Amino acid sequence: MILIVAEHANGKLAKSAYEMTQAARDCGREGPITLLVLGSGVAPVAAQAALLGDQVLVADLPALAEYDPEVWAAAVAQIAGEGEAHTVLIGGSRSGREYSPRVAVKLDAPLLEDAISLTDVGGDLQAEHYTFLARVTERVEALGPVVVVSIKPGALSPAKANAAAAEQFDVELTLPERRVAVTARMTEKSERVALADADIVVSGGRGVGSAEGFVELVEGLADQLGAAVGATRAVVDAGWRPYAEQVGQTGKTVQPKVYVAVGISGAVQHLSGMGKSKVIVAINKDGDAPIFKEADYGIVGDVKVIVPALIEELKKS
Amino acid sequence: MKILTLVRQVLDAEESVRMKDGAVDLSASKLVVDTMDEYGVEQALRMRDADATIEVVALAVGATRCEEALRTVLAMGADRAILVECGTPLDVIATSSVVSEVAKSEQIDLIFCGGGQADWDSHALGAAVAERLQWPQATWSSALTIDGTQLTGTHDVDAGKETFTMALPAVVTTQQGLNEPRYPTLPNIMKAKRKEMRKLPVESFGVTAKLKVLSAGVQVKERRRTMIDGKDAGLAAAELINLLRNEARVIA
Ligand SMILES: Cc1cc2nc3c(=O)[nH]c(=O)nc-3n(C[C@H](O)[C@H](O)[C@H](O)COP(=O)(O)OP(=O)(O)OC[C@H]3O[C@@H](n4cnc5c(N)ncnc54)[C@H](O)[C@@H]3O)c2cc1C
Ligand SMILES: Nc1ncnc2c1ncn2[C@@H]1O[C@H](COP(=O)(O)O)[C@@H](O)[C@H]1O
């Protein structure tokens, strides 16, 4: 079987579960597509998963209320082993990237990381992924009958739900003790569209001048466009914005229809997180800024003058 | 106590990627220590500064050239280095068995690993090593303190941040914000030349690759590169909005 570990939050199946299902349907491997739902109080999630897979396995346990890498790895490896899964798909979220290697070691399987495509070629699973700060696309083949894959979020199109719900089965698990004690949780909540899901992203760099400038220019323009807000590491390091908004190598990867870079120089580490956007707009006072080489539309000018004019123009219509 | 810090040599971010015969060719490129790894080295050195009984061992698995990266780390202050020489790069799962074998034979208590490589954008080695050793792990750590055998820290998770505690032995993956890595000083660069650098052939570990790289290609997305004159902000704004609506058709 193809085992998909369905990610979810706040009672909703995550977009990644739909993307992984499409990868499973298209990869050309045989066997029922099986979604595994881990958590506590996850009946609503399991019901949504039932519309995607051929079957759904549910572990609804208090012990699974909060994620832990060792607990998750043990659960997934156990189910994969008992169900004789030949392919295990895990979301490329922070947690997925963290426990998937443990699953691969437990199953003595190769790990295809951050896949943007997945194809069975004569019985061997091949994936493409980006390397060298997303400048190179590499094709790799997994050597072995069982393969663990993490799927890059946002790279594949989400699957459509089936008309009829698949059967759900409860599973029993033997879980290890937690060894990392979480003493506090700080969630970064935003009223805005989530960065990873947004069609339009407006991002600000050091060129916005200050935390106040960021609010006025970047949030102001994002409000007019119904966009998500992103930031460069320079802005995050300066304490103007939370880390959750950072786009780039050490932040989030986004692939929106339009990415508007406001006062951003275009360092490779930033480009690696947004360079696959469909259309890139750059506003920068330095005509030689590297960002213009990556831009579809560029305006050379002061963001303090250009962005308010853009906001005015959008308000007109 | 012994700390193992993993060191990877990567392409300098300012360098462009050269290709040869369908593969990335680094032979003529400038390589540097992965910034991510410098955070781990710095953290280990700070712990040793506070407790002189700690030994800091740097490990690289890679080509002979990685010696340069290890020398840099020795010049930062690491006590000694181990290079597992390996001509063709190994995949993460295979590398993790080399690292865990070294950790066992060196009787390591704490391993620092970069949060994600600058060239591969992988995040797997720390977790894979932790699994092989049956140790706990904390990834993406941005703050860390040690008290006896207890680690306390802050790290990034899906929904934001968490503070945590865990007991040694453990694997910690590092990231930006953890500290400000020091620069090697000239006297320390001189001293580093005399520090121990042990070389082991990867063949002695008997690992088999789990992945095969089939091909690689540089992607260049064609951009329109339409420049709009910003002298008159109102006109520029109107033109940009018009182009986004009617040429690119990406906004309503
Ligand atoms: C290991 C590592 C990982 C990294 N990861 C990331 C990452 O994930 N994300 C990331 O973003 N960076 C990352 N960086 C940092 C990256 O190298 C750059 O330093 C950073 O992206 C620069 O941010 P910036 O464009 O805001 O600032 P700057 O480079 O300072 O650029 C500011 C720009 O604003 C323009 N400007 C100034 N004033 C105005 C004005 N009034 N009007 C118009 N334009 C103006 C300037 O011309 C300049 O081009 C990383 C670096 C390293 C070493
Ligand atoms: N061949 C290697 N030798 C030493 N350290 C490595 C090697 N490969 C990966 N690492 C370490 O693991 C980190 C992340 O790599 P990975 O988990 O493979 O993405 C790097 O920053 C290094 O700390």
Side-chain angles (χ1 to χ4, degrees):
Chain A
M1 70 180 186
I2 302 179
L3 184 67
I4 299 174
V5 188
E7 294 185 302
H8 55 90
N10 309 315
K12 258 190 79 185
L13 198 59
K15 195 176 159 203
S16 65
Y18 295 84
E19 294 167 358
M20 286 191 280
T21 303
Q22 194 59 43
R25 288 180 188 169
D26 292 345
C27 73
R29 291 209 139 180
E30 302 281 313
I33 296 175
T34 308
L35 276 83
L36 171 64
V37 180
L38 300 173
S40 175
V42 288
V45 176
Q48 294 160 50
L51 291 170
L52 283 180
D54 299 320
Q55 52 189 22
V56 175
L57 302 176
V58 190
D60 198 336
L61 303 166
L64 295 174
E66 302 290 352
Y67 162 80
D68 173 274
E70 292 182 75
V71 171
W72 252 242
V76 173
Q78 185 190 328
I79 300 295
E82 287 170 4
E84 296 179 5
H86 50 65
T87 312
V88 180
L89 304 185
I90 294 174
S93 58
R94 260 183 210 295
S95 53
R97 300 290 295 273
E98 176 183 72
Y99 77 82
S100 51
R102 281 188 178 264
V103 177
V105 169
K106 279 183 194 293
L107 299 175
D108 193 26
L111 174 68
L112 292 169
E113 260 191 289
D114 226 20
I116 55 164
S117 77
L118 205 60
T119 336
D120 187 290
V121 179
D124 295 315
L125 202 57
Q126 294 185 2
E128 286 175 301
H129 66 172
Y130 299 132
T131 65
F132 289 92
L133 294 171
R135 289 178 286 179
V136 174
T137 306
E138 208 173 61
R139 176 173 282 281
V140 284
E141 184 175 84
L143 306 170
V146 179
V147 186
V148 177
V149 190
S150 66
I151 302 276
K152 188 176 191 68
L156 298 161
S157 57
K160 296 229 165 29
N162 296 325
E167 204 171 344
Q168 298 182 27
F169 304 90
D170 285 324
V171 293
E172 276 175 32
L173 294 171
T174 316
L175 299 173
E177 288 291 325
R178 284 168 192 251
R179 292 191 286 181
V180 181
V182 178
T183 44
R185 292 197 164 82
M186 290 81 82
T187 40
E188 285 163 336
K189 277 227 177 69
S190 167
E191 306 297 305
R192 295 179 182 281
V193 204
L195 252 182
D197 299 339
D199 278 340
I200 307 178
V201 174
V202 181
S203 272
R206 198 140 49 183
V208 301
S210 62
E212 297 72 36
F214 194 103
V215 173
E216 182 197 328
L217 304 174
V218 181
E219 292 205 43
L221 184 56
D223 285 341
Q224 292 305 316
L225 291 166
V229 166
T232 65
R233 168 163 163 185
V235 158
V236 174
D237 282 349
W240 298 352
R241 302 301 293 185
Y243 173 60
E245 290 178 1
Q246 184 174 316
V247 172
Q249 184 204 341
T250 42
K252 295 207 165 70
T253 302
V254 297
Q255 207 171 349
K257 287 197 186 120
V258 197
Y259 188 91
V260 186
V262 179
I264 292 176
S265 60
V268 283
Q269 295 94 347
H270 187 75
L271 294 173
S272 81
M274 44 63 79
K276 313 283 182 227
S277 304
K278 189 164 170 238
V279 171
I280 294 174
V281 178
I283 307 159
N284 195 306
K285 68 175 180 192
D286 174 8
D288 293 328
I291 189 78
F292 286 127
K293 294 204 186 69
E294 297 296 322
D296 293 285
Y297 302 109
I299 301 182
V300 181
D302 189 336
V303 293
K304 292 183 197 72
V305 183
I306 304 291
V307 176
L310 278 170
I311 294 173
E312 276 317 303
E313 184 67 29
L314 287 162
K315 276 185 182 161
K316 278 188 206 160
S317 43
Chain B
M1 185 172 104
K2 273 198 202 173
I3 303 178
L4 187 69
T5 68
L6 303 189
V7 177
R8 220 169 166 276
Q9 196 179 35
V10 297
L11 183 66
D12 187 323
E14 302 304 319
E15 290 261 90
S16 49
V17 181
R18 294 188 188 86
M19 301 296 293
K20 196 178 161 192
D21 305 329
V24 175
D25 176 20
L26 296 177
S27 59
S29 303
K30 184 178 173 210
L31 306 182
V32 294
V33 176
D34 194 337
T35 330
M36 287 294 177
D37 294 339
E38 290 179 355
Y39 298 121
V41 173
E42 179 62 33
Q43 200 63 28
L45 296 178
R46 286 183 190 195
M47 288 178 171
R48 193 195 56 194
D49 291 345
D51 174 357
T53 65
I54 290 178
E55 189 185 20
V56 179
V57 183
L59 168 67
V61 182
T64 311
R65 258 183 111 174
C66 293
E67 215 176 303
E68 300 156 27
L70 286 172
R71 284 285 167 215
T72 306
V73 168
L74 290 173
M76 283 174 77
D79 296 304
R80 56 189 176 89
I82 300 171
L83 171 62
V84 177
E85 280 184 284
C86 167
T88 38
L90 278 179
D91 63 271
V92 209
I93 298 297
T95 306
S96 73
S97 55
V98 175
V99 175
S100 60
E101 284 313 312
V102 171
K104 276 188 227 160
S105 62
E106 290 285 338
Q107 297 181 309
I108 296 296
D109 304 285
L110 172 60
I111 299 179
F112 284 116
C113 178
Q117 299 168 187
D119 60 351
W120 207 92
D121 197 24
S122 156
H123 296 262
L125 188 68
V129 169
E131 179 64 31
R132 287 204 190 273
L133 294 167
Q134 285 299 303
W135 291 2
Q137 79 199 58
T139 54
W140 296 103
S141 306
S142 53
L144 196 69
T145 54
I146 185 164
D147 183 5
T149 58
Q150 201 68 21
L151 290 174
T152 303
T154 307
H155 72 152
D156 294 321
V157 295
D158 287 338
K161 282 180 188 302
E162 270 176 11
T163 54
F164 64 87
T165 61
M166 66 179 175
L168 294 179
V171 176
V172 173
T173 80
T174 55
Q175 72 146 326
Q176 97 188 43
L178 184 60
N179 52 44
E180 236 0 280
R182 66 194 68 184
Y183 289 103
T185 59
L186 188 60
N188 285 343
I189 293 172
M190 307 295 286
K191 252 194 260 171
K193 298 211 166 84
R194 293 190 302 273
K195 288 183 178 171
E196 179 187 318
M197 166 115 41
R198 194 141 49 93
K199 291 183 190 166
L200 304 168
V202 74
E203 291 73 22
S204 65
F205 291 87
V207 294
T208 42
K210 294 234 178 260
L211 293 181
K212 188 168 136 197
V213 177
L214 300 174
S215 63
V218 174
Q219 299 272 303
V220 210
K221 194 161 178 346
E222 282 306 316
R223 294 288 174 188
R224 285 192 182 86
R225 295 204 200 171
T226 305
M227 295 303 284
I228 301 165
D229 189 350
K231 280 204 187 68
D232 184 321
L235 284 180
E239 188 178 346
L240 176 62
I241 302 300
N242 177 43
L243 287 167
L244 289 175
R245 281 199 180 120
N246 303 314
E247 185 180 82
R249 295 172 192 274
V250 285
I251 65 168

